[in-house]
Amino acid sequence: MLFWAEKSHEHLIALDESRTVVFATRLAGERFGIRAGMTLDEHWQDALRKDWTFEEQATERAAPMWIYLLRRRPASSPAQQQPTLFPAIATKSPLYQKQLQTARIAAHSLSHTLLLGETGSGKEVLARAIHDASPRKNGPFVAVNIASLPKDLIASELFGYADGAFTGAKKGGQPGKFEAASHGTLFLDEIGEMTLELQVLLLRVLEERKITRLGSHTEKELDVRIIAATNRFLEDDVQNGLFRADLYYRLNVLQIRIPRLRERKEDIASLAEQFLHQLHEQYEGGPTQLCETAMTALHRHSWPGNVRELRNVLERAFLHAFPDPQISVQHLPPDWTWLGQNEADAQADHSPLLRTLERETIQQAIREAPSISAAAKKLGIARSTLYRKMSELAIGPCSESHV
């Protein structure tokens, strides 16, 4: 910790509930004239706000602590004020942007971090982004999915084993993931699937910062930063005795909740464009865009599989549409074709808002296309289906140029 505080290029300050300085990097101490043990005035931030921005995060622990990351305001315009710290994560979602403020603090701290989010929401992507933006970026990033390992192999995978530790053990032993992640980051995904017995071993490693291989009595010093993740409600597991409270609090110093894709639908268009670009490069051809109707269908879907499901759906549609220049609604899963539904489905599913959206989408396509056939192609539906929808929604009559 002291070494990192000396070498860090960030102005980072940690205060307890009485505003006493618990920790400060060397740069923060020199720039603001503070030191550990000093108690700051109630309005200490006011004089700094003109030239500095503040990112604040309260930690969840027995003794509350507030961490402040200070950045000097550049002379450039506000739009250019803050560089992109996580280039792998571009989001327009206010929900996600708020959580990324905590991720920025996590990237420049040594504290363990807990990522919460549904399956497929991008927990490993964020964990890797935090690692890449941290002082440990030149060290290894090692990811382990606890749920994917047989329970009797988790201990040997994490902690390693010595020569002859068990039948079939590799001659000379084998280092575990903790050793492999030395001077870097160890990402423990699905941490809630770990058994209580293994939780005890993990807690001991985190507390002592030492590792002992299975079948050995030799301890090895550890220099590893832990990022854990889960899609479970660990608070409930703690209450039900399924997860150790002491381990939970040890891992949950900084907590980041990744919003579900259905909560950040403003990101769907940019994610879809990104995935299609990747697929186009991978296959050296194929569609590079979606028609308006297909994009509307993406926004209407509930996305139980989150970003991973979006990626899979687009790859399926991409392959079905290849080598067309764009993906139409007909290339999406059949139950997504909301334009051209049968009457029972339409009456059950079409709220006034959706009917208005449907009408506006069709009208825009007709205005921009030279003919009804071209408009139908743009929408990704048959010409006869478009005529029927125009009749249902009282659109028309068409001019001679739109036949």
Side-chain angles (χ1 to χ4, degrees):
M1 177 72 82
L2 291 176
F3 176 81
W4 177 78
E6 285 292 319
K7 298 298 183 182
S8 174
H9 297 293
E10 298 294 336
H11 296 82
L12 194 71
I13 304 170
L15 306 179
D16 65 16
E17 55 189 346
S18 63
R19 296 188 304 281
T20 299
V21 179
V22 178
F23 169 82
T25 57
R26 180 181 59 81
L27 285 181
E30 293 176 352
R31 180 63 184 81
F32 306 116
I34 63 173
R35 63 183 184 278
M38 177 185 293
T39 300
L40 302 184
D41 180 79
E42 181 179 358
H43 304 291
W44 69 276
Q45 299 180 40
D46 295 351
L48 301 175
R49 289 194 183 280
K50 179 181 178 181
D51 299 316
W52 299 82
T53 61
F54 288 71
E55 292 181 10
E56 177 182 350
Q57 175 65 36
T59 64
E60 298 183 9
R61 45 189 287 170
M65 184 168 63
W66 285 261
I67 301 174
Y68 299 88
L69 178 63
L70 283 72
R71 298 184 187 277
R72 181 177 288 279
R73 293 183 185 275
S76 57
S77 64
Q80 300 172 336
Q81 180 170 320
Q82 190 176 56
T84 301
L85 187 63
F86 305 121
I89 301 173
T91 179
K92 299 177 182 177
S93 165
L95 278 175
Y96 203 2
Q97 288 172 349
K98 184 176 181 180
Q99 294 299 315
L100 289 180
Q101 293 177 10
T102 304
R104 291 186 182 96
I105 293 175
H108 295 289
S109 76
L110 296 177
S111 299
H112 301 315
T113 302
L114 182 63
L115 308 184
L116 306 178
E118 290 185 352
T119 299
S121 59
K123 296 187 288 294
E124 183 172 344
V125 172
L126 180 55
R128 187 178 291 275
I130 291 173
H131 168 80
D132 290 341
S134 76
R136 294 175 173 265
K137 62 184 178 183
N138 294 324
F141 176 86
V142 178
V144 181
N145 188 312
I146 302 297
S148 68
L149 296 174
K151 294 188 184 300
D152 55 345
L153 294 181
I154 295 177
S156 60
E157 283 288 323
L158 291 180
F159 310 126
Y161 55 86
D163 187 8
F166 50 83
T167 302
K170 182 179 178 181
K171 184 176 179 59
Q174 179 75 30
K177 301 300 185 183
F178 273 98
E179 291 181 64
S182 181
H183 303 294
T185 300
L186 178 61
F187 175 56
L188 299 176
D189 198 5
E190 304 300 351
I191 191 71
E193 303 301 321
M194 184 174 282
T195 64
L196 288 170
E197 293 78 10
L198 287 174
Q199 291 175 33
V200 174
L201 296 178
L202 177 59
L203 179 63
R204 183 178 303 144
V205 168
L206 297 182
E207 289 179 340
E208 299 178 358
R209 295 186 176 275
K210 295 178 181 179
I211 193 78
T212 303
R213 294 187 185 182
L214 299 184
S216 172
H217 300 288
T218 303
E219 291 184 331
K220 295 187 177 184
E221 296 285 342
L222 274 182
D223 178 18
V224 177
R225 193 270 181 84
I226 303 296
I227 300 179
T230 183
N231 60 3
R232 298 170 64 102
F233 294 99
L234 285 188
E235 297 95 336
D236 293 343
D237 287 348
V238 169
Q239 292 294 324
N240 295 328
L242 300 176
F243 201 86
R244 291 182 61 95
D246 45 7
L247 177 58
Y248 172 70
Y249 294 123
R250 175 70 66 171
L251 294 171
N252 194 34
V253 178
L254 292 172
Q255 184 184 109
I256 302 170
R257 292 184 179 271
I258 302 178
R260 299 168 291 190
L261 185 56
R262 57 186 172 274
E263 296 175 321
R264 44 183 284 230
K265 289 196 172 183
E266 55 268 74
D267 288 340
I268 288 177
S270 59
L271 286 170
E273 181 180 354
Q274 173 187 332
F275 292 148
L276 286 181
H277 177 73
Q278 293 171 356
L279 290 165
H280 186 80
E281 287 193 340
Q282 177 183 344
Y283 288 94
E284 299 181 349
T288 57
Q289 59 184 346
L290 293 97
C291 75
E292 296 171 9
T293 311
M295 184 61 74
T296 300
L298 294 187
H299 279 86
R300 291 188 61 216
H301 187 56
S302 61
W303 298 110
N306 292 290
V307 178
R308 184 180 297 134
E309 182 187 0
L310 174 61
R311 175 65 164 79
N312 292 341
V313 165
L314 284 175
E315 182 168 7
R316 174 191 182 278
F318 177 92
L319 295 174
H320 277 283
F322 200 95
D324 293 344
Q326 73 173 2
I327 292 174
S328 302
V329 71
Q330 67 191 28
H331 300 125
L332 297 175
D335 55 336
W336 287 26
T337 54
W338 62 280
L339 281 178
Q341 291 175 316
N342 61 47
E343 291 301 318
D345 289 340
Q347 293 187 11
D349 190 44
H350 278 191
S351 67
L353 178 61
L354 291 178
R355 291 185 68 84
T356 298
L357 176 61
E358 191 174 2
R359 181 183 293 107
E360 291 175 352
T361 301
I362 291 176
Q363 288 174 331
Q364 181 179 353
I366 292 174
R367 285 195 302 268
E368 296 177 352
S371 66
I372 289 295
S373 296
K377 184 176 181 179
K378 182 180 180 67
L379 292 168
I381 59 176
R383 188 168 182 262
S384 59
T385 301
L386 178 55
Y387 274 121
R388 179 171 63 82
K389 299 303 295 184
M390 290 169 61
S391 175
E392 292 175 1
L393 299 170
I395 300 173
C398 304
S399 64
E400 288 300 320
S401 61
H402 283 81
V403 177

